[in-house]
Amino acid sequence: MENITEKLLLEKASPKANKLEQIMTLNLSKMRLKLQDLPVKLLSRLQSLEKLDLSGNMLQEFPKNLELPALRFLDLSDNQIEDVTTLDSLSNVEELRMDGNLYITVSDTYKLMVLLPNLRFYNGKDVSTYANHLRYVYSDNLRTRIAALWENSFCLPDPITAEKIDALESKFVSTASYQVKFGPNSVSAFTRWRVGILAKEYLLSLTEPKKEVDSVETTGSQNNSDVSKPAKRKQTESVIDTSIRLRPHKKPRTDPAASAAEDSPRQSRFRLKPQTQDPIDTIRNVPSKTSQPPITPSRGERKSERPKRSFQEQQTSEDDAQKKRKESLGKKDSRRDADMLQTVEIRSDTQPVHLKPLHVLQCHSKQDSLEDFSTQLWACAFQPLPDSAGNAGGSRLVATCGGDSICLIDCEMGMVMKKYKVPGEEFFSLAWTTVLMSRGGNASAQHCSILAAGGKRGIVKLIHPRNNVAYGEFRASRKALSVLRFNHHQGSFLFTGSYDNKILMWDIGGVDSQYNFKVVQLLVLEIGTTPLHICLPPTAPSAHLLTACEDGLHCYNTQLGANNTSKRSKEMEITFPIYKKEDKDHDYHTVDGLSFLNDDIVASKNYLYGCIYLWSWSRTKVQRPDKKSKAVCAVVLAELQWTNTQIPYLALNTCPGQAYMVCGDDKGKIWTYHIPNLQKNSFHTGKPILPTEVLEWPTPVKNGHGKVEGPSINSVAMDPELRYLVALSDKNMVIVWKREESP
């Protein structure tokens, strides 16, 4: 190993320079350098250095206080980095490589995105969207919690002295780091670190204005402007969409406008550990051929984008509305609630079903990797029944999305029949519909199933799977798309929810034999926060829309007509009893599950609450909203016992034809509820109804890696006859369950 001298630096420079101050590119890779081998004083003279390569050395951290104002690119790959906080002096770095540092955790990566305010590329990936989310949205959520902690538990000393402030700072920062919780547990180290910094900043913001006032008074300034205690920091609106990593970049697309899906049945790479006497099919790994997509967002990150409201703001409107109606419900409503659940049983002669695991597929892998257990899968839906062919029975073809691909899977065979990829995209939602396709000449138009999908780019892709063609696309938002939903009474009407806090209604029309189509925007619904789910009441899908959002459940009027405006605000907000139990540590307003069980009964799930509500849409709708808040109380019929978890966005789903509701948890389990059996329990006592069955994680086995532990189940879907149940995990696995027929 050579000593770092001025002569050596000039030799390693490119292009050659006569002075250290003129060096623009420097390669110090593979020199077995340790921290003590890097002289800060000498390196600080590299004021023009733009690119520095320190890869392949033995560095455990970057030299402290080494300021390189012109540095834009830094390569620290293949070192032994353990502490990343010493990089905070490199404020202008735009691209950083840290590959091959075994001790770097996800929390360390998050720290880097905050410490380096101009960082755009990390390990070759564009992370500017996600980095901005952490710098602004995630941090502002933490600031809100820190401010609430201060207001409830701390105050400034009187009089203010340096000693008292130091003691207060130590106690406040320690308490905040321990009590302020946010995001997934996997990044708790980052959260504690960030809370410590923000808590100090918050306390400083309270004490500095006091000093300024004193200064003004003692100097006798004639400036009469008011100097007051600063208000709480408002939620910063980031240039991206939350989450995660969720917001699309505004750069030109490089993916083709349309491409054919791949035919991709694969050989199995995994096997399932049998839970019954019968052997179970193996996991199939469907490799992809594209470059590795951008970092996949986690639910915790996505959760963090929601602006927080103070507890008092959350409670006031709901409590007022609930008190006004409390007396009108009473015992009479209890009897009517019982009748409502009874009608489910009368209208359905179904029986509980038994499901067994059939297949586990790994079909959304990055770069064809067999080791990819990180790509999160977000949405799945079964192909609808053909309208015109008259075929009976449900479809066994399910569409799944996650990463840069969409897969169409035959549930019986466990094979990926079609695969559609868009390099650089990250799909978050999809939806099926049926539209008319003209065939030219005198031939009558025929119905065809169309799949729409969208994600971080804000572009809706339109796919005709039968003919193996992605025939079109249109931009629905400049931000990422969070949810898609078709109106099945008018199959060409599509709703798109996006991270710019809007839901748009489109008419995508039909297609001709050449796949020409036209898209028209019909409505704009202004949402307060990110829409997570969209539901249309089965009896009036063209009149109302329910959307589950980060800040609650809202209803909109979507009826088209000459007297209605094209831009609308919410008609009412539907509130739930759990809101009364909110405090500074528990905000239950995020509704992350929503689906109709039949024409009237709705199943919904509130984040952080361990139960699922069943409530009546018709009886809730007829109530008169509070004039100020537009809030109405949901007429709750029952509570279903679920799991306790801090993981958001574990979506539920229903199978109305079989009176079933299902929801996965964060342990890989599927909670199933057969509603006709549950009505016999008395929900008037306040005791939640237990699930009909909890399907255990099937414990697949990966060759050479052993058992795969239970992941979080992000999404579930059932075909109309409940012959198959499909669950998507956050570990790049699609699990197919099949109904066992009674003997």
Side-chain angles (χ1 to χ4, degrees):
M1 180 195 70
E2 300 181 65
N3 291 328
I4 302 299
T5 62
E6 181 174 350
K7 179 181 178 181
L8 176 67
L9 294 177
L10 292 172
E11 290 176 352
K12 295 285 186 178
S14 175
K16 297 299 182 181
N18 297 322
K19 298 180 180 180
L20 293 184
E21 290 76 9
Q22 298 174 346
I23 295 177
M24 300 181 65
T25 301
L26 185 61
N27 187 348
L28 299 178
S29 63
K30 299 179 181 178
M31 295 180 62
R32 301 184 62 81
L33 296 173
K34 296 183 179 180
L35 177 62
Q36 58 268 28
D37 300 321
L38 297 177
V40 174
K41 185 175 181 180
L42 181 64
L43 295 175
S44 296
R45 294 172 56 189
L46 300 169
Q47 296 297 294
S48 299
L49 185 64
E50 296 181 358
K51 186 173 182 179
L52 175 60
D53 187 352
L54 287 169
S55 63
N57 286 296
M58 303 171 66
L59 299 174
Q60 292 183 316
E61 64 181 52
F62 191 78
K64 294 181 180 178
N65 303 319
L66 175 54
E67 296 185 4
L68 301 171
L71 192 65
R72 299 292 183 270
F73 175 91
L74 175 62
D75 190 346
L76 289 173
S77 57
D78 298 317
N79 275 279
Q80 301 171 16
I81 301 294
E82 297 181 13
D83 182 8
V84 299
T85 59
T86 56
L87 289 163
D88 62 346
S89 60
L90 306 178
S91 58
N92 292 318
V93 167
E94 298 177 353
E95 184 169 356
L96 175 65
R97 299 204 67 98
M98 297 285 285
D99 319 66
N101 286 278
L102 300 180
Y103 304 110
I104 295 297
T105 65
V106 175
S107 290
D108 292 326
T109 300
Y110 285 13
K111 291 178 183 179
L112 287 168
M113 294 182 187
V114 172
L115 290 168
L116 305 177
N118 291 310
L119 184 66
R120 295 191 301 115
F121 291 91
Y122 181 74
N123 291 343
K125 302 172 186 175
D126 187 344
V127 297
S128 55
T129 294
Y130 191 42
N132 281 331
H133 164 72
L134 290 173
R135 295 164 190 157
Y136 304 114
V137 182
Y138 195 96
S139 295
D140 277 348
N141 274 279
L142 295 179
R143 288 188 183 96
T144 301
R145 288 162 168 76
I146 291 169
L149 175 65
W150 172 268
E151 292 175 359
N152 288 318
S153 305
F154 292 89
C155 63
L156 290 174
D158 188 15
I160 295 178
T161 64
E163 294 77 10
K164 291 181 178 180
I165 288 295
D166 289 342
L168 177 62
E169 178 182 287
S170 177
K171 183 177 180 181
F172 178 53
V173 171
S174 176
T175 303
S177 300
Y178 177 75
Q179 292 190 10
V180 174
K181 306 292 184 183
F182 192 68
N185 291 333
S186 59
V187 294
S188 58
F190 164 75
T191 302
R192 287 194 300 271
W193 171 81
R194 189 65 175 143
V195 166
I197 295 174
L198 296 177
K200 291 180 181 179
E201 292 178 355
Y202 182 80
L203 182 57
L204 189 61
S205 72
L206 300 179
T207 57
E208 282 189 336
K210 297 283 186 179
K211 296 177 182 178
E212 292 175 3
V213 173
D214 295 340
S215 175
V216 170
E217 292 175 350
T218 56
T219 58
S221 171
Q222 297 181 8
N223 186 348
N224 296 323
S225 61
D226 293 334
V227 182
S228 60
K229 181 177 179 179
K232 289 184 181 179
R233 179 187 175 97
K234 295 182 179 179
Q235 185 75 16
T236 302
E237 181 175 356
S238 106
V239 295
I240 57 161
D241 205 54
T242 80
S243 82
I244 33 285
R245 142 192 92 62
L246 291 185
R247 305 218 176 167
H249 300 297
K250 298 182 179 180
K251 58 185 180 183
R253 291 189 310 102
T254 57
D255 55 301
S259 63
E262 304 173 16
D263 294 327
S264 53
R266 307 292 184 188
Q267 295 181 353
S268 60
R269 310 264 187 195
F270 294 58
R271 67 180 187 279
L272 286 177
K273 183 179 179 62
Q275 292 181 318
T276 64
Q277 291 83 355
D278 300 329
I280 302 176
D281 286 358
T282 57
I283 291 183
R284 302 179 180 275
N285 183 288
V286 184
S288 60
K289 299 179 180 179
T290 60
S291 59
Q292 190 168 352
I295 298 176
T296 302
S298 69
R299 289 169 304 280
E301 292 160 356
R302 294 175 62 187
K303 174 75 175 71
S304 66
E305 62 195 52
R306 178 168 68 90
K308 295 289 292 182
R309 302 181 295 176
S310 69
F311 174 60
Q312 290 78 8
E313 291 175 326
Q314 295 169 350
Q315 287 297 103
T316 301
S317 59
E318 288 88 340
D319 286 347
D320 291 343
Q322 289 168 354
K323 289 177 181 177
K324 292 179 181 179
R325 299 173 180 82
K326 186 174 182 181
E327 294 181 0
S328 65
L329 296 177
K331 296 182 179 180
K332 182 177 179 180
D333 278 355
S334 296
R335 291 193 298 270
R336 292 167 63 186
D337 291 348
D339 293 339
M340 180 63 71
L341 274 187
Q342 186 69 18
T343 61
V344 177
E345 185 180 28
I346 292 173
R347 288 163 47 181
S348 175
D349 57 355
T350 60
Q351 297 295 323
V353 302
H354 179 65
L355 298 161
K356 67 174 183 179
L358 185 63
H359 306 288
V360 180
L361 297 89
Q362 189 183 13
C363 51
H364 292 265
S365 298
K366 303 172 186 174
Q367 291 186 317
D368 206 2
S369 172
L370 302 180
E371 310 301 323
D372 180 5
F373 288 93
S374 62
T375 296
Q376 297 213 45
L377 311 185
W378 292 111
C380 56
F382 277 86
Q383 183 178 19
L385 299 174
D387 279 0
S388 58
N391 296 331
S395 170
R396 69 183 196 185
L397 189 68
V398 67
T400 63
C401 72
D404 64 355
S405 60
I406 300 167
C407 294
L408 274 70
I409 301 170
D410 186 306
C411 291
E412 182 63 31
M413 295 187 295
M415 298 178 67
V416 177
M417 308 307 295
K418 307 289 181 184
K419 189 168 185 179
Y420 175 74
K421 296 177 68 67
V422 179
E425 177 62 279
E426 188 163 7
F427 289 105
F428 298 140
S429 186
L430 51 75
W432 288 96
T433 192
T434 301
V435 300
L436 285 173
M437 171 180 278
S438 61
R439 294 183 288 177
N442 296 324
S444 60
Q446 65 178 7
H447 289 84
C448 62
S449 291
I450 298 300
L451 180 65
K456 75 172 187 178
R457 289 187 169 184
I459 295 173
V460 175
K461 300 287 185 178
L462 300 174
I463 306 170
H464 186 199
R466 181 176 180 180
N467 287 358
N468 196 28
V469 59
Y471 68 86
E473 65 179 39
F474 66 93
R475 177 169 290 283
S477 175
R478 291 292 174 182
K479 301 294 180 68
L481 299 177
S482 57
V483 59
L484 307 181
R485 174 72 68 177
F486 278 103
N487 179 346
H488 289 295
H489 282 206
Q490 294 178 285
S492 64
F493 285 6
L494 171 66
F495 293 93
T496 61
S498 54
Y499 283 87
D500 56 1
N501 302 339
K502 293 180 182 178
I503 293 177
L504 274 60
M505 179 179 174
W506 310 84
D507 185 355
I508 66 169
V511 294
D512 61 19
S513 58
Q514 302 301 314
Y515 288 103
N516 296 310
F517 70 101
K518 182 179 180 180
V519 177
V520 178
Q521 180 180 308
L522 302 176
L523 284 179
V524 177
L525 308 181
E526 300 287 351
I527 315 294
T529 54
T530 305
L532 305 176
H533 299 279
I534 295 174
C535 275
L536 306 178
T539 56
S542 299
H544 296 281
L545 175 146
L546 296 176
T547 177
C549 301
E550 295 277 5
D551 66 346
L553 180 59
H554 307 287
C555 175
Y556 288 80
N557 175 8
T558 57
Q559 192 164 3
L560 299 175
N563 297 326
N564 294 322
T565 61
S566 60
K567 182 176 290 188
R568 304 178 187 178
S569 58
K570 70 180 178 183
E571 191 174 47
M572 63 181 177
E573 177 183 358
I574 299 170
T575 64
F576 297 94
I578 189 61
Y579 291 1
K580 293 181 178 181
K581 298 182 180 180
E582 288 184 337
D583 55 32
K584 60 185 178 65
D585 297 321
H586 299 86
D587 181 356
Y588 299 105
H589 269 68
T590 295
V591 180
D592 58 1
L594 182 69
S595 184
F596 273 84
L597 181 61
N598 65 3
D599 287 349
D600 182 63
I601 297 177
V602 185
S604 64
K605 182 167 72 71
N606 296 73
Y607 171 59
L608 292 180
Y609 186 44
C611 291
I612 296 170
Y613 284 119
L614 293 181
W615 52 278
S616 169
W617 158 243
S618 62
R619 294 175 57 200
T620 301
K621 179 183 63 174
V622 297
Q623 299 179 84
R624 181 177 298 176
D626 179 81
K627 291 183 179 180
K628 183 176 181 180
S629 66
K630 298 184 179 181
V632 299
C633 301
V635 180
V636 177
L637 309 176
E639 289 185 347
L640 309 181
Q641 182 65 56
W642 189 54
T643 189
N644 290 314
T645 178
Q646 294 187 352
I647 302 297
Y649 314 129
L650 306 181
L652 59 81
N653 210 335
T654 56
C655 182
Q658 301 299 315
Y660 253 86
M661 194 216 70
V662 299
C663 187
D665 65 16
D666 57 348
K667 306 297 182 185
K669 298 178 181 179
I670 310 292
W671 298 59
T672 69
Y673 306 85
H674 187 222
I675 303 306
N677 281 357
L678 297 178
Q679 60 85 29
K680 296 179 181 179
N681 295 274
S682 175
F683 51 84
H684 313 295
T685 63
K687 296 181 179 179
I689 299 172
L690 299 178
T692 305
E693 183 181 10
V694 178
L695 305 176
E696 297 293 331
W697 172 245
T699 318
V701 178
K702 168 68 174 174
N703 292 337
H705 294 267
K707 300 177 182 178
V708 179
E709 297 301 324
S712 293
I713 302 299
N714 288 345
S715 181
V716 290
M718 296 163 280
D719 71 288
E721 297 181 352
L722 195 45
R723 293 185 300 165
Y724 303 99
L725 184 152
V726 174
L728 304 187
S729 78
D730 63 351
K731 292 185 178 179
N732 188 29
M733 285 181 282
V734 179
I735 306 96
V736 180
W737 302 72
K738 184 178 181 181
R739 177 177 181 170
E740 284 190 321
E741 299 298 336
S742 302

